[in-house]
Amino acid sequence: MSYLEMSRSLAEQLKTQDHIRILAIESSCDETAAAVIEDGRRILSNAVYTQIDLHALYGGVVPEIASRAHVEKVDLMVDQALKDAGMTLQDVDAIGVTYGPGLVGALLIGVSCAKALAYATGKPLVPVNHIEGHICANFLTHPDLEPPFACLVVSGGHSHLFSVEDYGVFRVIGQTQDDAAGEAFDKAARVLNIPYPGGPLLDKLAETGDEKRYRFPRMHTEGKYDYSFSGLKTAVINQAHTIRQNGGEIEAADWAASFRCAVVDALLDKALLAARDTGAERFALAGGVASNRLLRRETLRRGTEMGLKVFMPPASLCTDNAAMIGAAGFYRLMNGELAGLDLNAQPSVRLIEE
Ligand code: KG4
Ligand code: ZN
């Protein structure tokens, strides 16, 4: 019997077990992470090593540095996750891993590590899409959340609005036509000389600023529910340039607040319109930008006002982590979506074919 055939029969047997524990690995960008998740909902451990300090010097993620740091840390994170969960490798039921989208060299480290563990233990290997992981982070803190729901996924590389129709069943309602929301935050932060990744610091700075001080253009897109952040990004850079060229100074907190407000308004105007038009009753946030304070407050306020039940993971589960991969991996395992030992990294894989 091949490894995959054996995994399939093991996965069937697992369904009769009281609890299923997945050791999950995430290495798609600049976080090396491992976690143990029970039944897709309960975090038994969640170890994250963030490489931010290594990349800050260069103003963004340097793929080669990311890969090297993943190689150095991935085993340590796996050991840490098992130790924190009070388990050995033999105690987990399956190995989940992010296979894309992300940086190919970075992804390959997690994928290779997961394949080696799966081969050594004979346990099923579950390939997880990173975006799906972000969405499933909501399951870890909201035991009452079940599909269907609408989910706005906003991260450094992605801005998508999904309809989550069932576990593992997604439909794209809208998406960015150019830059991701997180990318726009990082670029706007750079204008203020805020080090990478600028999003979180810009957000903090914005808390004390006047959001009406500066005006940024509104978004234009063909699709009713699609996003575009490139115009806003260019406007921010040009406007700053003009102010400085004229000898003026940018009031950083007001600038941050005005920019943040422009992005959050744009995100929510479309997302909530889509939620209303599609008849969604529940609305969830996901991805690194979902830790943005204004986005969280406004989603809760506007969503609740519309009669939506609103969900969002805590900030620590919005940015990249392996717990969310373990949550998504559980539902993939239940759906029999397993990988063989030929699993490869897929840097541009989509969550669904559109
Ligand atoms: O999901 P994530 O950790 O990685 C990707 O999958 O891309 O998202 C990282 C992105 C970065 O662009 C970062 O600046 C942004 O999320 N971000 C924020 C905040 N926290 C993280 N953007 C705005 N406000 C925040 N509080
Ligand atoms: Zn991410």
Side-chain angles (χ1 to χ4, degrees), residues 11-277:
E12 276 313 306
Q13 287 169 34
L14 285 178
K15 289 183 183 168
T16 60
Q17 249 176 235
D18 283 348
H19 296 292
I20 295 177
R21 283 139 188 170
I22 295 186
L23 170 67
I25 299 171
E26 154 66 38
S27 70
S28 66
C29 190
D30 58 349
E31 262 87 29
T32 320
V36 180
I37 300 303
E38 187 174 78
D39 304 329
R41 297 272 178 170
R42 203 168 146 236
I43 302 176
L44 301 186
S45 65
N46 185 19
V48 184
Y49 165 73
T50 177
Q51 308 175 359
I52 282 175
D53 291 348
L54 301 181
H55 301 290
L57 193 62
Y58 306 95
V61 177
V62 183
E64 288 79 4
I65 293 177
S67 306
R68 184 169 292 270
H70 285 308
V71 172
E72 284 169 5
K73 298 289 183 197
V74 73
D75 291 355
L76 297 175
M77 289 300 108
V78 167
D79 285 350
Q80 186 73 47
L82 289 170
K83 185 167 159 249
D84 292 350
M87 289 181 177
T88 67
L89 201 48
Q90 293 312 321
D91 299 323
V92 300
D93 300 302
I95 315 289
V97 66
T98 306
Y99 73 104
L103 301 168
V104 66
L107 288 164
L108 274 171
I109 312 301
V111 167
S112 306
C113 176
K115 287 203 291 193
L117 294 175
Y119 179 63
T121 58
K123 299 193 191 270
L125 178 65
V126 188
V128 178
N129 180 297
H130 183 78
I131 307 301
E132 182 178 5
H134 274 303
I135 296 170
C136 292
N138 279 286
F139 295 138
L140 295 167
T141 35
H142 300 294
D144 52 329
L145 176 61
E146 306 236 6
F149 59 92
C151 187
L152 175 64
V153 186
V154 270
S155 73
H158 309 272
S159 297
H160 272 86
L161 188 58
F162 290 104
S163 165
V164 181
E165 318 219 307
D166 201 345
Y167 293 107
V169 183
F170 307 94
R171 186 166 60 83
V172 175
I173 307 176
Q175 60 188 305
T176 183
Q177 293 171 344
D178 39 59
D179 300 341
E183 229 174 311
F185 268 111
D186 295 338
K187 289 274 159 54
R190 207 185 274 198
V191 169
L192 297 174
N193 296 320
I194 294 174
Y196 178 86
L201 286 173
L202 184 142
D203 181 24
K204 204 166 163 203
L205 190 62
E207 290 289 285
T208 57
D210 171 10
E211 63 192 33
K212 298 208 167 60
R213 170 89 176 261
Y214 297 100
R215 296 206 71 77
F216 296 116
R218 290 189 63 83
M219 186 179 285
H220 297 288
T221 53
E222 296 259 316
K224 200 172 166 192
Y225 310 125
D226 286 337
Y227 296 112
S228 165
F229 291 102
S230 68
L232 182 59
K233 186 180 77 182
T234 313
V236 164
I237 294 168
N238 289 346
Q239 216 165 303
H241 194 66
T242 310
I243 293 173
R244 285 174 177 146
Q245 233 174 15
N246 293 336
E249 266 185 37
I250 294 170
E251 178 40 61
D254 295 346
W255 184 268
S258 304
F259 178 80
R260 182 178 71 164
C261 185
V263 174
V264 169
D265 276 354
L267 284 174
L268 284 182
D269 284 352
K270 296 211 172 201
L272 295 177
L273 176 71
R276 194 198 64 196
D277 291 354

Side-chain angles (χ1 to χ4, degrees), residues 272 281 283 296-312:
L272 295 177
E281 291 173 9
F283 183 85
R296 297 173 77 85
R297 288 198 293 268
E298 284 297 285
T299 305
L300 205 57
R301 185 184 68 78
R302 290 176 58 176
T304 313
E305 232 169 63
M306 279 172 59
L308 288 167
K309 195 146 194 268
V310 173
F311 301 86
M312 58 192 79

